[in-house]
Amino acid sequence: DGRRALSGSGDKTLKLWDLATWRCLRTFVGHTSDVNSVAISPDGRQALSGSWTTLKLWDLAKGECLRTFEGHTDSVFSVAISPDGRQALSGSFDKTLKLWDLATGRCLRTFAGHKNRVESVAINPDGREILSGSGDIVIGDNKLKLWDTATGLCLRTFEGHLKGVNSVAFSPDGRQALSGSKRTLKLWDLATGQCLRTFDGHTAWVNSVAISPDGRQALSGSSDKTLKLWDLAKGECLRTF
């Protein structure tokens, strides 16, 4: 609803913030290592966090940990919640993705195929497909993969980045994907696997990407200490923050 924000930190906590007053509403304590990724459920009542080999589900109103998800063998670096609020997705440095049942904590499916750590995951707005991006610390992977949520099969691999893929996002209509890598972003056609456009302007790693609700603009955050707002149709940088 645009009224609250959630953050995860290297101090092992999550914090819920009031965007109108900037006040910290609640601190969530329970992880034993860095909190690498957070997500809020579609109904705004729960939060999901990823840390060292585990995920945790939290009650936002009470601050209580409702459930811990165990199964990864290395750090969980990215989490997402399905549009219906019933499932969770995690990407890990163990090179796999896992799909979880939020109500029971059971692992429903493991997605294997990346040759290096999974840096970022996203769920299509219709919930039927999953997107993942892989890093290149030792052995280059530098790819995005599109997966079938129901079967766990890899539907398509997107190649074109020269370095690891740190962040991925679906467009609101679920037909395109955006990815961030070293200095560049790329926009992809999910049906054909074609790279539609490359956005060049950052001078360091692009660590986070997002697409506006109307699908016309993209936002990127980089290790060069800037954010950039882009016109997706033209590929132009509209503003640097």
Side-chain angles (χ1 to χ4, degrees), residues 51-55 69-76 90-98 100 110:
S51 183
W52 173 253
T53 73
T54 64
L55 296 78
F69 305 78
E70 298 181 290
H72 282 294
T73 59
D74 206 334
S75 192
V76 177
S90 57
S92 170
F93 280 19
D94 66 13
K95 307 175 187 177
T96 71
L97 298 80
K98 289 183 181 291
W100 309 84
T110 298

PDB file of all heavy atoms in Angstrom, residues 51-55 69-76 90-98 100 110:
ATOM      1  N   SER A  51      18.728 -15.678   4.927  1.00  0.00           N
ATOM      2  CA  SER A  51      20.009 -15.499   5.586  1.00  0.00           C
ATOM      3  C   SER A  51      20.871 -16.738   5.339  1.00  0.00           C
ATOM      4  O   SER A  51      20.714 -17.415   4.324  1.00  0.00           O
ATOM      5  CB  SER A  51      19.790 -15.259   7.090  1.00  0.00           C
ATOM      6  OG  SER A  51      21.004 -15.019   7.755  1.00  0.00           O
ATOM      7  N   TRP A  52      21.759 -17.064   6.250  1.00  0.00           N
ATOM      8  CA  TRP A  52      22.667 -18.199   6.092  1.00  0.00           C
ATOM      9  C   TRP A  52      21.878 -19.519   6.121  1.00  0.00           C
ATOM     10  O   TRP A  52      21.398 -19.930   7.156  1.00  0.00           O
ATOM     11  CB  TRP A  52      23.741 -18.197   7.177  1.00  0.00           C
ATOM     12  CG  TRP A  52      24.593 -19.411   7.171  1.00  0.00           C
ATOM     13  CD1 TRP A  52      24.569 -20.432   8.069  1.00  0.00           C
ATOM     14  CD2 TRP A  52      25.587 -19.768   6.197  1.00  0.00           C
ATOM     15  NE1 TRP A  52      25.471 -21.402   7.740  1.00  0.00           N
ATOM     16  CE2 TRP A  52      26.117 -21.022   6.588  1.00  0.00           C
ATOM     17  CE3 TRP A  52      26.066 -19.160   5.047  1.00  0.00           C
ATOM     18  CZ2 TRP A  52      27.117 -21.667   5.857  1.00  0.00           C
ATOM     19  CZ3 TRP A  52      27.056 -19.802   4.317  1.00  0.00           C
ATOM     20  CH2 TRP A  52      27.574 -21.031   4.724  1.00  0.00           C
ATOM     21  N   THR A  53      21.706 -20.170   4.999  1.00  0.00           N
ATOM     22  CA  THR A  53      21.037 -21.476   4.772  1.00  0.00           C
ATOM     23  C   THR A  53      19.564 -21.512   5.146  1.00  0.00           C
ATOM     24  O   THR A  53      18.899 -22.518   4.894  1.00  0.00           O
ATOM     25  CB  THR A  53      21.757 -22.633   5.502  1.00  0.00           C
ATOM     26  OG1 THR A  53      21.510 -22.554   6.915  1.00  0.00           O
ATOM     27  CG2 THR A  53      23.262 -22.628   5.221  1.00  0.00           C
ATOM     28  N   THR A  54      19.011 -20.456   5.713  1.00  0.00           N
ATOM     29  CA  THR A  54      17.615 -20.490   6.153  1.00  0.00           C
ATOM     30  C   THR A  54      16.801 -19.301   5.653  1.00  0.00           C
ATOM     31  O   THR A  54      17.332 -18.244   5.320  1.00  0.00           O
ATOM     32  CB  THR A  54      17.507 -20.512   7.689  1.00  0.00           C
ATOM     33  OG1 THR A  54      18.035 -19.297   8.220  1.00  0.00           O
ATOM     34  CG2 THR A  54      18.246 -21.697   8.283  1.00  0.00           C
ATOM     35  N   LEU A  55      15.482 -19.514   5.636  1.00  0.00           N
ATOM     36  CA  LEU A  55      14.506 -18.450   5.443  1.00  0.00           C
ATOM     37  C   LEU A  55      13.651 -18.397   6.699  1.00  0.00           C
ATOM     38  O   LEU A  55      13.468 -19.407   7.383  1.00  0.00           O
ATOM     39  CB  LEU A  55      13.590 -18.712   4.248  1.00  0.00           C
ATOM     40  CG  LEU A  55      14.141 -18.781   2.832  1.00  0.00           C
ATOM     41  CD1 LEU A  55      14.804 -20.123   2.559  1.00  0.00           C
ATOM     42  CD2 LEU A  55      13.009 -18.555   1.828  1.00  0.00           C
ATOM     43  N   PHE A  69      12.510 -22.041   7.459  1.00  0.00           N
ATOM     44  CA  PHE A  69      12.621 -22.970   6.333  1.00  0.00           C
ATOM     45  C   PHE A  69      14.081 -23.387   6.195  1.00  0.00           C
ATOM     46  O   PHE A  69      14.957 -22.540   6.005  1.00  0.00           O
ATOM     47  CB  PHE A  69      12.152 -22.296   5.034  1.00  0.00           C
ATOM     48  CG  PHE A  69      10.765 -21.719   5.113  1.00  0.00           C
ATOM     49  CD1 PHE A  69      10.531 -20.501   5.748  1.00  0.00           C
ATOM     50  CD2 PHE A  69       9.680 -22.387   4.552  1.00  0.00           C
ATOM     51  CE1 PHE A  69       9.256 -19.964   5.813  1.00  0.00           C
ATOM     52  CE2 PHE A  69       8.398 -21.852   4.608  1.00  0.00           C
ATOM     53  CZ  PHE A  69       8.191 -20.642   5.253  1.00  0.00           C
ATOM     54  N   GLU A  70      14.334 -24.676   6.270  1.00  0.00           N
ATOM     55  CA  GLU A  70      15.695 -25.192   6.200  1.00  0.00           C
ATOM     56  C   GLU A  70      15.829 -26.179   5.043  1.00  0.00           C
ATOM     57  O   GLU A  70      14.927 -26.975   4.795  1.00  0.00           O
ATOM     58  CB  GLU A  70      16.081 -25.867   7.509  1.00  0.00           C
ATOM     59  CG  GLU A  70      16.073 -24.914   8.706  1.00  0.00           C
ATOM     60  CD  GLU A  70      16.484 -25.588   9.990  1.00  0.00           C
ATOM     61  OE1 GLU A  70      15.699 -26.413  10.480  1.00  0.00           O
ATOM     62  OE2 GLU A  70      17.589 -25.293  10.488  1.00  0.00           O
ATOM     63  N   GLY A  71      16.977 -26.136   4.357  1.00  0.00           N
ATOM     64  CA  GLY A  71      17.174 -27.047   3.234  1.00  0.00           C
ATOM     65  C   GLY A  71      18.332 -26.650   2.348  1.00  0.00           C
ATOM     66  O   GLY A  71      18.998 -27.491   1.763  1.00  0.00           O
ATOM     67  N   HIS A  72      18.614 -25.345   2.260  1.00  0.00           N
ATOM     68  CA  HIS A  72      19.766 -24.882   1.496  1.00  0.00           C
ATOM     69  C   HIS A  72      21.051 -25.234   2.253  1.00  0.00           C
ATOM     70  O   HIS A  72      21.060 -25.339   3.484  1.00  0.00           O
ATOM     71  CB  HIS A  72      19.700 -23.376   1.267  1.00  0.00           C
ATOM     72  CG  HIS A  72      18.764 -22.979   0.178  1.00  0.00           C
ATOM     73  ND1 HIS A  72      18.969 -23.303  -1.152  1.00  0.00           N
ATOM     74  CD2 HIS A  72      17.601 -22.255   0.209  1.00  0.00           C
ATOM     75  CE1 HIS A  72      17.989 -22.800  -1.885  1.00  0.00           C
ATOM     76  NE2 HIS A  72      17.154 -22.162  -1.092  1.00  0.00           N
ATOM     77  N   THR A  73      22.128 -25.378   1.496  1.00  0.00           N
ATOM     78  CA  THR A  73      23.411 -25.724   2.099  1.00  0.00           C
ATOM     79  C   THR A  73      24.404 -24.559   2.073  1.00  0.00           C
ATOM     80  O   THR A  73      25.551 -24.716   2.481  1.00  0.00           O
ATOM     81  CB  THR A  73      24.042 -26.933   1.382  1.00  0.00           C
ATOM     82  OG1 THR A  73      24.223 -26.618  -0.013  1.00  0.00           O
ATOM     83  CG2 THR A  73      23.155 -28.160   1.509  1.00  0.00           C
ATOM     84  N   ASP A  74      23.950 -23.413   1.596  1.00  0.00           N
ATOM     85  CA  ASP A  74      24.782 -22.214   1.595  1.00  0.00           C
ATOM     86  C   ASP A  74      23.867 -21.003   1.746  1.00  0.00           C
ATOM     87  O   ASP A  74      22.642 -21.139   1.818  1.00  0.00           O
ATOM     88  CB  ASP A  74      25.618 -22.132   0.313  1.00  0.00           C
ATOM     89  CG  ASP A  74      26.909 -21.339   0.486  1.00  0.00           C
ATOM     90  OD1 ASP A  74      26.936 -20.461   1.377  1.00  0.00           O
ATOM     91  OD2 ASP A  74      27.870 -21.578  -0.251  1.00  0.00           O
ATOM     92  N   SER A  75      24.438 -19.830   1.767  1.00  0.00           N
ATOM     93  CA  SER A  75      23.700 -18.611   2.055  1.00  0.00           C
ATOM     94  C   SER A  75      22.525 -18.384   1.095  1.00  0.00           C
ATOM     95  O   SER A  75      22.652 -18.554  -0.115  1.00  0.00           O
ATOM     96  CB  SER A  75      24.654 -17.423   1.983  1.00  0.00           C
ATOM     97  OG  SER A  75      24.063 -16.261   2.502  1.00  0.00           O
ATOM     98  N   VAL A  76      21.370 -18.006   1.648  1.00  0.00           N
ATOM     99  CA  VAL A  76      20.188 -17.645   0.857  1.00  0.00           C
ATOM    100  C   VAL A  76      20.309 -16.164   0.516  1.00  0.00           C
ATOM    101  O   VAL A  76      20.294 -15.316   1.403  1.00  0.00           O
ATOM    102  CB  VAL A  76      18.893 -17.916   1.632  1.00  0.00           C
ATOM    103  CG1 VAL A  76      17.685 -17.459   0.822  1.00  0.00           C
ATOM    104  CG2 VAL A  76      18.784 -19.391   1.984  1.00  0.00           C
ATOM    105  N   SER A  90      13.287 -19.123  -3.027  1.00  0.00           N
ATOM    106  CA  SER A  90      14.598 -18.709  -2.532  1.00  0.00           C
ATOM    107  C   SER A  90      15.680 -19.084  -3.527  1.00  0.00           C
ATOM    108  O   SER A  90      15.613 -20.111  -4.194  1.00  0.00           O
ATOM    109  CB  SER A  90      14.890 -19.358  -1.175  1.00  0.00           C
ATOM    110  OG  SER A  90      14.819 -20.776  -1.264  1.00  0.00           O
ATOM    111  N   GLY A  91      16.702 -18.235  -3.612  1.00  0.00           N
ATOM    112  CA  GLY A  91      17.879 -18.510  -4.433  1.00  0.00           C
ATOM    113  C   GLY A  91      19.104 -18.486  -3.539  1.00  0.00           C
ATOM    114  O   GLY A  91      19.226 -17.631  -2.660  1.00  0.00           O
ATOM    115  N   SER A  92      20.008 -19.445  -3.755  1.00  0.00           N
ATOM    116  CA  SER A  92      21.103 -19.627  -2.820  1.00  0.00           C
ATOM    117  C   SER A  92      22.459 -19.719  -3.498  1.00  0.00           C
ATOM    118  O   SER A  92      22.576 -20.032  -4.686  1.00  0.00           O
ATOM    119  CB  SER A  92      20.858 -20.893  -1.985  1.00  0.00           C
ATOM    120  OG  SER A  92      21.984 -21.258  -1.223  1.00  0.00           O
ATOM    121  N   PHE A  93      23.493 -19.510  -2.689  1.00  0.00           N
ATOM    122  CA  PHE A  93      24.862 -19.706  -3.160  1.00  0.00           C
ATOM    123  C   PHE A  93      25.162 -21.190  -3.386  1.00  0.00           C
ATOM    124  O   PHE A  93      26.237 -21.518  -3.891  1.00  0.00           O
ATOM    125  CB  PHE A  93      25.852 -19.123  -2.156  1.00  0.00           C
ATOM    126  CG  PHE A  93      26.015 -17.632  -2.263  1.00  0.00           C
ATOM    127  CD1 PHE A  93      25.071 -16.848  -2.908  1.00  0.00           C
ATOM    128  CD2 PHE A  93      27.117 -16.993  -1.717  1.00  0.00           C
ATOM    129  CE1 PHE A  93      25.215 -15.484  -3.020  1.00  0.00           C
ATOM    130  CE2 PHE A  93      27.275 -15.620  -1.817  1.00  0.00           C
ATOM    131  CZ  PHE A  93      26.326 -14.858  -2.469  1.00  0.00           C
ATOM    132  N   ASP A  94      24.253 -22.084  -2.991  1.00  0.00           N
ATOM    133  CA  ASP A  94      24.440 -23.515  -3.279  1.00  0.00           C
ATOM    134  C   ASP A  94      24.039 -23.866  -4.708  1.00  0.00           C
ATOM    135  O   ASP A  94      23.956 -25.031  -5.074  1.00  0.00           O
ATOM    136  CB  ASP A  94      23.690 -24.393  -2.274  1.00  0.00           C
ATOM    137  CG  ASP A  94      22.163 -24.263  -2.350  1.00  0.00           C
ATOM    138  OD1 ASP A  94      21.645 -23.683  -3.328  1.00  0.00           O
ATOM    139  OD2 ASP A  94      21.482 -24.747  -1.431  1.00  0.00           O
ATOM    140  N   LYS A  95      23.782 -22.831  -5.546  1.00  0.00           N
ATOM    141  CA  LYS A  95      23.495 -22.944  -6.977  1.00  0.00           C
ATOM    142  C   LYS A  95      22.083 -23.414  -7.298  1.00  0.00           C
ATOM    143  O   LYS A  95      21.776 -23.735  -8.443  1.00  0.00           O
ATOM    144  CB  LYS A  95      24.504 -23.875  -7.672  1.00  0.00           C
ATOM    145  CG  LYS A  95      25.967 -23.517  -7.432  1.00  0.00           C
ATOM    146  CD  LYS A  95      26.908 -24.540  -8.052  1.00  0.00           C
ATOM    147  CE  LYS A  95      28.345 -24.270  -7.675  1.00  0.00           C
ATOM    148  NZ  LYS A  95      29.267 -25.295  -8.205  1.00  0.00           N
ATOM    149  N   THR A  96      21.205 -23.466  -6.298  1.00  0.00           N
ATOM    150  CA  THR A  96      19.834 -23.918  -6.525  1.00  0.00           C
ATOM    151  C   THR A  96      18.810 -22.862  -6.129  1.00  0.00           C
ATOM    152  O   THR A  96      19.116 -21.906  -5.407  1.00  0.00           O
ATOM    153  CB  THR A  96      19.521 -25.198  -5.732  1.00  0.00           C
ATOM    154  OG1 THR A  96      19.433 -24.882  -4.320  1.00  0.00           O
ATOM    155  CG2 THR A  96      20.578 -26.268  -5.951  1.00  0.00           C
ATOM    156  N   LEU A  97      17.591 -23.079  -6.641  1.00  0.00           N
ATOM    157  CA  LEU A  97      16.411 -22.357  -6.185  1.00  0.00           C
ATOM    158  C   LEU A  97      15.520 -23.368  -5.486  1.00  0.00           C
ATOM    159  O   LEU A  97      15.510 -24.550  -5.847  1.00  0.00           O
ATOM    160  CB  LEU A  97      15.639 -21.739  -7.342  1.00  0.00           C
ATOM    161  CG  LEU A  97      16.276 -20.696  -8.238  1.00  0.00           C
ATOM    162  CD1 LEU A  97      17.190 -21.321  -9.280  1.00  0.00           C
ATOM    163  CD2 LEU A  97      15.186 -19.881  -8.932  1.00  0.00           C
ATOM    164  N   LYS A  98      14.750 -22.907  -4.507  1.00  0.00           N
ATOM    165  CA  LYS A  98      13.790 -23.781  -3.850  1.00  0.00           C
ATOM    166  C   LYS A  98      12.441 -23.080  -3.733  1.00  0.00           C
ATOM    167  O   LYS A  98      12.375 -21.882  -3.443  1.00  0.00           O
ATOM    168  CB  LYS A  98      14.285 -24.213  -2.464  1.00  0.00           C
ATOM    169  CG  LYS A  98      15.451 -25.206  -2.497  1.00  0.00           C
ATOM    170  CD  LYS A  98      15.853 -25.658  -1.114  1.00  0.00           C
ATOM    171  CE  LYS A  98      17.032 -26.623  -1.160  1.00  0.00           C
ATOM    172  NZ  LYS A  98      16.685 -27.929  -1.742  1.00  0.00           N
ATOM    173  N   TRP A 100       8.825 -23.166  -1.703  1.00  0.00           N
ATOM    174  CA  TRP A 100       8.368 -23.609  -0.391  1.00  0.00           C
ATOM    175  C   TRP A 100       6.870 -23.366  -0.216  1.00  0.00           C
ATOM    176  O   TRP A 100       6.316 -22.408  -0.760  1.00  0.00           O
ATOM    177  CB  TRP A 100       9.103 -22.840   0.709  1.00  0.00           C
ATOM    178  CG  TRP A 100      10.585 -22.825   0.604  1.00  0.00           C
ATOM    179  CD1 TRP A 100      11.355 -21.970  -0.162  1.00  0.00           C
ATOM    180  CD2 TRP A 100      11.517 -23.681   1.270  1.00  0.00           C
ATOM    181  NE1 TRP A 100      12.687 -22.245  -0.002  1.00  0.00           N
ATOM    182  CE2 TRP A 100      12.830 -23.283   0.877  1.00  0.00           C
ATOM    183  CE3 TRP A 100      11.375 -24.736   2.178  1.00  0.00           C
ATOM    184  CZ2 TRP A 100      13.976 -23.913   1.356  1.00  0.00           C
ATOM    185  CZ3 TRP A 100      12.517 -25.357   2.657  1.00  0.00           C
ATOM    186  CH2 TRP A 100      13.800 -24.957   2.251  1.00  0.00           C
ATOM    187  N   THR A 110      12.928 -28.274  -5.940  1.00  0.00           N
ATOM    188  CA  THR A 110      14.268 -27.694  -6.077  1.00  0.00           C
ATOM    189  C   THR A 110      14.600 -27.539  -7.553  1.00  0.00           C
ATOM    190  O   THR A 110      14.396 -28.468  -8.339  1.00  0.00           O
ATOM    191  CB  THR A 110      15.325 -28.579  -5.388  1.00  0.00           C
ATOM    192  OG1 THR A 110      15.038 -28.656  -3.985  1.00  0.00           O
ATOM    193  CG2 THR A 110      16.724 -28.002  -5.574  1.00  0.00           C
TER     194      THR A 110
END
